[in-house]
């Protein structure tokens, strides 16, 4: 399965024909909003971006991330947040981070009609507990705990589980052990599917490149080049040229419709 993140209408529209699922990830806190972690992302932010993505996709399954603080306190609290996201975005399901400790909440949501995707391994909302973004499952105890987390979330009824940044062969073993699809990110080619953050894939976020990312374009570099060229053209008086201006003759030839008049 092919999953990819999107936070906006144009990116959702571009990927919709190619991917099985679109994840409106809370990674948007870092990639779009310039935050240091995902901890500052709010439910309102996820709903606004979730809505844009749902509106702009026709066939892919859209999953929205539950942000930090919106579901951890209790299953009831999680339901209130989850119901808002489902009702206000129209998405197909939600993703939340955590293992054994979140299993009761996952079961509670699913019993009330909310499809859930789990997320184990490196769970970025727990960055302060991990002390950074290091790969997880380095020791036998750590690997055992992540395996138990994945099993607990699958038992609770999650329809897929994202496995993030774990040491192989852990994700391979999890994929064999759980009856639902695993979606890897920095995990294993043996996972049932893969997900990446679009900004990493396109090189939009190019401050650094995580080892597990493969870049398919250099949009960040091209964007800087284009903006630099525009700035140079304006300063040199090369833009706008006559072709970009409205003259009597062009105004006569093309009468704008009422709709386009309103927009411009
Ligand atoms: O927020 C996100 O983009 C994610 C992916 C990294 C899986 O959770």
């Amino acid at each position: 399965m092919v999953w990819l993140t999107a936070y906006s209408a144009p990116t959702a529209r571009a990927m919709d024909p190619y991917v099985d699922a679109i994840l409106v990830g809370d990674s948007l806190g870092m990639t779009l909003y310039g935050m240091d972690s995902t901890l500052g992302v709010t439910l309102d932010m996820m709903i606004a971006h979730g809505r844009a993505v749902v509106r702009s996709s026709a066939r892919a399954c859209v999953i929205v991330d539950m942000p930090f603080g919106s579901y951890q306190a209790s299953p009831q609290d999680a339901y209130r947040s989850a119901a808002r996201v489902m009702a206000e975005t129209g998405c197909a399901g939600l993703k939340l981070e955590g293992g054994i400790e979140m299993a009761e909440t996952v079961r509670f949501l699913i019993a009330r009609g909310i499809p859930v995707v789990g997320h184990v391994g490196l769970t970025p909302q727990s960055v302060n507990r991990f002390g950074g973004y290091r790969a997880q499952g380095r020791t036998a105890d750590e690997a055992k705990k992540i395996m138990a987390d994945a099993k607990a979330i699958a038992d609770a009824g999650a329809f897929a589980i994202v496995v993030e940044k774990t040491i192989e062969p852990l994700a391979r073993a999890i994929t064999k052990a759980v009856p639902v699809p695993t979606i890897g990110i920095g995990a294993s080619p043996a996972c049932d599917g893969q997900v990446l953050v679009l900004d990493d894939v396109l090189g939009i976020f190019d401050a650094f490149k995580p080892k597990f990312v493969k870049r398919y374009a250099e949009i960040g570099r091209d964007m800087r080049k284009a903006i630099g060229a525009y700035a140079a053209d304006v300063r040199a008086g090369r833009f706008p040229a006559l072709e970009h201006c409205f003259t009597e003759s062009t105004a006569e030839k093309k009468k704008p419709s009422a709709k386009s008049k309103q927009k411009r």
Side-chain angles (χ1 to χ4, degrees):
M1 271 185 289
V2 181
W3 291 32
L4 206 49
T5 65
Y7 321 121
S8 69
T11 54
R13 214 175 291 127
M15 71 178 66
D16 188 56
Y18 302 103
V19 302
D20 301 301
I22 301 178
L23 174 66
V24 186
D26 63 350
S27 51
L28 60 76
M30 296 158 95
T31 52
L32 272 193
Y33 288 90
M35 297 174 177
D36 287 336
S37 74
T38 57
L39 301 185
V41 175
T42 65
L43 207 55
D44 286 340
M45 286 159 78
M46 294 312 299
I47 289 171
H49 289 278
R51 249 191 207 151
V53 169
V54 169
R55 216 180 272 141
S56 311
S57 56
R59 50 168 297 285
C61 173
V62 178
I63 311 295
V64 177
D65 255 350
M66 298 287 286
F68 177 70
S70 71
Y71 62 93
Q72 289 91 342
S74 67
Q76 288 76 7
D77 221 33
Y79 180 78
R80 271 187 289 276
S81 304
R84 257 199 79 196
V85 180
M86 295 295 289
E88 294 181 34
T89 66
C91 68
L94 304 175
K95 176 168 80 61
L96 55 83
E97 297 182 6
I100 295 169
E101 73 288 357
M102 292 312 302
E104 185 195 346
T105 295
V106 170
R107 192 167 279 115
F108 190 89
L109 295 179
I110 290 165
R112 284 155 185 79
I114 297 175
V116 176
V117 174
H119 185 158
V120 302
L122 176 71
T123 45
Q125 292 175 13
S126 302
V127 60
N128 291 323
R129 180 161 56 82
F130 292 133
Y133 295 99
R134 269 166 34 114
Q136 299 296 302
R138 289 172 181 274
T139 64
D141 278 355
E142 242 179 56
K144 218 166 123 188
K145 162 78 169 77
I146 297 168
M147 172 63 86
D149 283 342
K151 284 182 175 169
I153 293 299
D155 277 355
F159 74 88
I161 301 176
V162 170
V163 183
E164 180 165 353
K165 211 170 176 185
T166 49
I167 303 287
E168 270 291 60
L170 179 56
R172 186 176 292 270
I174 291 174
T175 303
K176 277 203 187 122
V178 298
V180 295
T182 57
I183 312 298
I185 172 162
S188 171
C191 288
D192 300 298
Q194 300 294 328
V195 61
L196 279 178
V197 171
L198 181 70
D199 299 60
D200 289 332
V201 171
L202 297 184
I204 297 172
F205 183 80
D206 60 358
F208 63 92
K209 186 175 90 61
K211 177 181 161 62
F212 58 81
V213 168
K214 181 171 175 184
R215 278 219 188 119
Y216 289 81
E218 295 294 344
I219 304 286
R221 184 199 59 199
D222 293 349
M223 191 160 59
R224 284 189 293 274
K225 215 168 122 190
I227 294 167
Y230 163 71
D233 275 359
V234 171
R235 292 197 175 106
R238 287 188 297 266
F239 179 84
L242 214 53
E243 74 206 73
H244 306 114
C245 298
F246 299 96
T247 61
E248 278 300 312
S249 58
T250 54
E252 267 164 30
K253 261 191 236 154
K254 276 193 171 182
K255 283 207 171 128
S257 68
K259 206 171 165 192
S260 68
K261 249 194 221 161
Q262 255 177 10
K263 281 191 179 166
R264 310 291 286 190

